[in-house]
Amino acid sequence: MDISIVIPLYNEEESLPELYAWIQRVMNANRFTYEVIFVNDGSTDHSWQVIEELGRASEHVKGIKFRRNYGKSPALYCGFEKAQGDVVITMDADLQDSPDEIPELYRMITQDGYDLVSGWKQKRYDPLSKTIPTKLFNATARAVSGIHNLHDFNCGLKAYRREVVKNIEVYGEMHRYIPYLAKNAGFNRIAEKVVHHQARKYGKTKFGLNRFVNGYLDLITLWFLSTFGVKPMHIFGFLGSIMFVLGLVAVVVVGANKLYDMYHGNPYRLITESPYFYLALTTMILGTQLFLAGFIGELIARNSPERNKYQIEKEI
Ligand code: UDP
Ligand code: MG
């Protein structure tokens, strides 16, 4: 099969028939063999009935129905598990992404040899309150991930070589960073294609402004996991050592100062009267705690199922 189209959706009943008809037009015009996997993320409207109807009319339709709303990442994860096509395309269900882009995305994966091609909504039809934070968000994501050629990490329209989606694990709200996940898994031929974007036709957006706060926190988590995920001691031990040594030096200086003054018959204070004593004490305690966090982290990492998971591309 050439293409699997994975569509996560939450309360998008009005858009689905139109979207599917459009996809079918494009697929037939290009003679692709394909499947469309609708992942109904616990919709409370009639989305599932619509999907069942589409499924009765067409053999290309597959569906997954969650019992409750889990979020876009879990929906993508399950869609990826089920996908069988050589190229896997994800798109939003709200008609903001155009199926007309699919043939070119497919060509970039199969002929240009990219692992992942991300859409770039260069001209967006979204409110300003969304486009400005998005710019900042993408700049940060570029800097942290080291993928400098992507303008739009969170574009719903993306194409993947099948191996990519079978070898990454999207969870929580990590759908915003799939290119980063792919890069961490060793798929670094990542490109971008300018895509048409439309204003939402039906329904309303499912994400509020808190997406940016959560997005940043997730980015920090990802950076941490990819850098120190299996060696937490390298960060905690390092910070802990620095703090402990700083504290120790400060204590020695405070103590030596007092001894010096005593020896020379100068007036002197109790060590506990010096503010530096307390700073030194706190620093040493914090240093020890960081160290302990490192040890505990190592114990956890030792038990992680990920600790010996590698991407082996070929063996002979
Ligand atoms: N979506 C989902 N589960 C959720 C929230 C959203 O499957 O919990 C789907 C939604 O139905 C749509 C896609 O994710 O197909 C993108 O959502 P939306 O259009 O609301 O995001 P925006 O375009 O505002 O970024
Ligand atoms: Mg949308």
Side-chain angles (χ1 to χ4, degrees), residues 8-10 12 41 69 93-94 96 130 200 205-206 211:
L9 61 113
Y10 178 55
E12 311 278 6
D41 182 14
N69 176 244
D94 55 4
Q96 290 195 274
K130 190 164 151 193
R200 216 181 215 285
T205 177
K206 308 299 183 304
R211 73 169 90 197

Side-chain angles (χ1 to χ4, degrees), residues 16 40 79 93 105 162-163 165 181 186 204 214 221 238 264 297:
L16 294 176
N40 177 9
L105 290 171
R162 184 182 44 221
E163 294 84 70
V165 304
L181 293 176
K204 56 180 192 306
N214 296 339
T221 305
F238 176 67
H264 287 90

Side-chain angles (χ1 to χ4, degrees), residues 174-285:
M174 295 298 181
H175 58 267
R176 301 194 177 92
Y177 301 111
I178 297 182
Y180 192 16
L181 293 176
K183 183 186 169 219
N184 286 341
F187 298 100
N188 47 21
R189 280 165 299 185
I190 296 173
E192 177 168 77
K193 176 187 184 307
V194 174
V195 295
H196 281 284
H197 185 235
Q198 306 180 64
R200 216 181 215 285
K201 196 160 167 190
Y202 308 104
K204 56 180 192 306
T205 177
K206 308 299 183 304
F207 298 98
L209 278 178
N210 63 356
R211 73 169 90 197
F212 296 107
V213 180
N214 296 339
Y216 272 106
L217 294 177
D218 283 344
L219 187 60
I220 296 173
T221 305
L222 262 188
W223 166 80
F224 179 80
L225 286 178
S226 70
T227 324
F228 302 109
V230 289
K231 40 181 204 274
M233 195 57 175
H234 288 195
I235 178 78
F236 290 113
F238 176 67
L239 291 176
S241 308
I242 291 186
M243 293 202 80
F244 191 85
V245 169
L246 274 178
L248 197 64
V249 170
V251 162
V252 170
V253 169
V254 172
N257 219 344
K258 177 176 170 180
L259 289 178
Y260 178 86
D261 286 341
M262 279 173 83
Y263 185 73
H264 287 90
N266 298 338
Y268 61 87
R269 295 189 300 181
L270 286 176
I271 282 189
T272 47
E273 279 171 6
S274 157
Y276 294 109
F277 172 74
Y278 293 99
L279 286 178
L281 201 66
T282 320
T283 318
M284 282 168 75
I285 293 175

